[in-house]
Amino acid sequence: ILDYELNKIDKEEENRRFESILQNSWKVGEIKNQFSKTEKEIVYNIAMYYRKRDPEKAKRIINAVLKNEKRRVDSDWYSNGQLLRLLAGIHADQQNFEESNRMTEQCISQMLDCQDGIMLSACVNILGWNGERTGDKEYKQWYQDAIYLSDLFDNVRIHQTQMAYYEDHVERGKVWY
């Protein structure tokens, strides 16, 4: 990760290294009761790499983890939620909006069960994105809710990204507070 961030390697080399590291602990076809948090983070990075290059492969990788593990442990809900949110995003990319919304709502439900809303803004934003693309009249409200949530949870980078998108694509000059 540091080599990539310091521009010593490209994205392809970073992904090759991730896959190599993961092979040390996860053999293809081997079913384990649980994956470690680190393994899930590596899987997330690999799936992100394949998201635009080979979305079907990204979905298979994520599903291999989500379906083959003894369901979530409360302390590890975030890793599962990240993977589920990414899978919802891939379905949105493929214009499978109903499945994307179902997975997004499942992710939100898991967050509420664990009483932690750190990904709530990102999930609500997916609902807005899907609504915008399907002509749902409520999409603006979803986006606005996501922006308020990113501010509430003090996620500056996500908040700035969401605000810029809203300003450029939805409504210019909105007064927020």
Side-chain angles (χ1 to χ4, degrees):
I1 292 171
L2 289 176
D3 282 348
Y4 176 72
E5 288 178 4
L6 297 172
N7 294 318
K8 292 182 179 179
I9 61 172
D10 61 13
K11 195 67 179 166
E12 287 77 19
E13 176 63 16
E14 180 189 44
N15 189 66
R16 189 193 64 70
R17 290 181 183 184
F18 280 141
E19 288 178 342
S20 175
I21 291 166
L22 193 57
Q23 287 177 3
N24 293 327
S25 62
W26 183 28
K27 302 294 181 206
V28 175
E30 179 182 316
I31 297 176
K32 296 166 64 172
N33 285 338
Q34 288 187 311
F35 294 96
S36 72
K37 182 179 178 190
T38 301
E39 286 173 311
K40 288 180 188 178
E41 288 174 11
I42 291 171
V43 167
Y44 179 86
N45 281 294
I46 292 170
M48 281 296 292
Y49 174 80
Y50 287 114
R51 180 177 183 168
K52 300 291 184 193
R53 293 167 177 86
D54 187 350
E56 292 304 316
K57 183 172 185 170
K59 288 181 352 187
R60 282 193 310 274
I61 291 167
I62 294 169
N63 281 320
V65 173
L66 292 178
K67 289 182 178 177
N68 286 342
E69 78 172 309
K70 194 186 251 181
R71 292 311 299 170
R72 73 179 190 276
V73 177
D74 282 349
S75 64
D76 194 32
W77 78 268
Y78 183 79
S79 298
N80 290 336
Q82 267 190 311
L83 291 170
L84 187 59
R85 189 185 80 219
L86 177 56
L87 192 55
I90 293 168
H91 279 284
D93 292 345
Q94 296 178 321
Q95 298 186 4
N96 187 354
F97 302 116
E98 188 174 311
E99 184 66 8
S100 176
N101 285 343
R102 185 190 69 73
M103 290 180 172
T104 301
E105 290 166 3
Q106 182 181 352
C107 188
I108 290 170
S109 177
Q110 289 176 6
M111 276 187 284
L112 295 175
D113 288 347
C114 296
Q115 299 181 5
D116 191 340
I118 194 157
M119 282 191 292
L120 194 53
S121 172
C123 287
V124 171
N125 198 66
I126 290 173
L127 296 174
W129 176 250
N130 290 343
E132 179 183 6
R133 292 162 73 188
T134 60
D136 182 348
K137 295 176 185 174
E138 298 296 317
Y139 83 94
K140 284 185 184 181
Q141 187 61 52
W142 286 115
Y143 279 145
Q144 291 170 13
D145 292 346
I147 289 167
Y148 285 125
L149 287 165
S150 64
D151 190 26
L152 176 68
F153 288 103
D154 201 26
N155 192 326
V156 176
R157 185 183 56 81
I158 288 177
H159 184 74
Q160 290 171 342
T161 302
Q162 290 172 340
M163 289 286 287
Y165 182 86
Y166 192 90
E167 181 75 18
D168 291 343
H169 297 94
V170 180
E171 180 181 358
R172 288 199 174 278
K174 176 166 176 48
V175 177
W176 292 93
Y177 297 100

